[in-house]
Amino acid sequence: MEKVIALGCDHAGFDYKEAVMNLLKERGFTINNKGTNSLDSVDYPDFVHPVATDVQDKKACCGIVMCGSGNGVAITVNKHAGIRAALCWTKELAELARQHNNANVLAIPVRFVSESVALEMVTAFLDTNFEGGRHQRRVDKIDL
């Protein structure tokens, strides 16, 4: 499970998802591709709820979700208990999401970041560890 990542997006995120999948494959990850798999207009919840479920069920170590603003996918996956999705638009935010919030899903706003920044965020998200300590106390208070 450690090297499995769940991916989901709507039509706006499709091109970036393809680039993210290539990066993950190069790094030796197995990908649970939840779709969408084309540019045809779709409803993002249909493709990102399964990402959250995979992370909840420990079928994936983390998830990456994408849509135009990143807001819809982040709101959707954050409805799942135990999911801590972070909407990020810089590498530094992706690092902080992992370090301080123990984020387990990265939400990418594809209409607001370049593909290269998106890939930098994915790399930072995967390479950064949760610091624990005082941050653990705060993370423990998130779930209702």
Side-chain angles (χ1 to χ4, degrees):
M1 191 282 295
E2 180 178 312
K3 297 284 276 183
V4 178
I5 297 180
L7 294 180
C9 68
D10 68 0
H11 50 282
F14 173 71
D15 288 335
Y16 279 34
K17 182 175 66 85
E18 295 297 303
V20 169
M21 286 185 0
N22 289 334
L23 173 68
L24 296 174
K25 287 175 189 174
E26 288 171 11
R27 295 193 55 177
F29 286 94
T30 300
I31 300 160
N32 286 355
N33 178 7
K34 302 302 182 178
T36 191
N37 296 308
S38 78
L39 294 170
D40 296 337
S41 182
V42 296
D43 299 331
Y44 56 82
D46 297 336
F47 302 95
V48 301
H49 277 304
V51 171
T53 299
D54 271 9
V55 175
Q56 280 181 306
D57 295 345
K58 306 212 182 314
K59 293 179 181 175
C61 64
C62 64
I64 300 170
V65 294
M66 294 165 264
C67 72
S69 71
N71 284 309
V73 293
I75 291 167
T76 301
V77 297
N78 275 325
K79 297 292 183 185
H80 291 254
I83 298 301
R84 293 173 304 281
L87 173 57
C88 299
W89 52 93
T90 67
K91 173 186 168 193
E92 293 78 16
L93 286 172
E95 290 169 342
L96 286 170
R98 289 286 306 129
Q99 289 171 341
H100 293 187
N101 309 113
N102 200 16
N104 53 12
V105 176
L106 172 63
I108 301 174
V110 300
R111 291 190 178 132
F112 296 90
V113 299
S114 67
E115 185 177 294
S116 63
V117 168
L119 296 175
E120 287 176 4
M121 290 190 306
V122 169
T123 298
F125 189 81
L126 297 175
D127 291 347
T128 303
N129 293 316
F130 178 51
E131 290 180 353
R134 71 184 192 280
H135 304 295
Q136 183 64 59
R137 184 177 69 246
R138 296 165 186 155
V139 169
D140 290 342
K141 295 178 180 181
I142 293 173
D143 282 340
L144 295 176

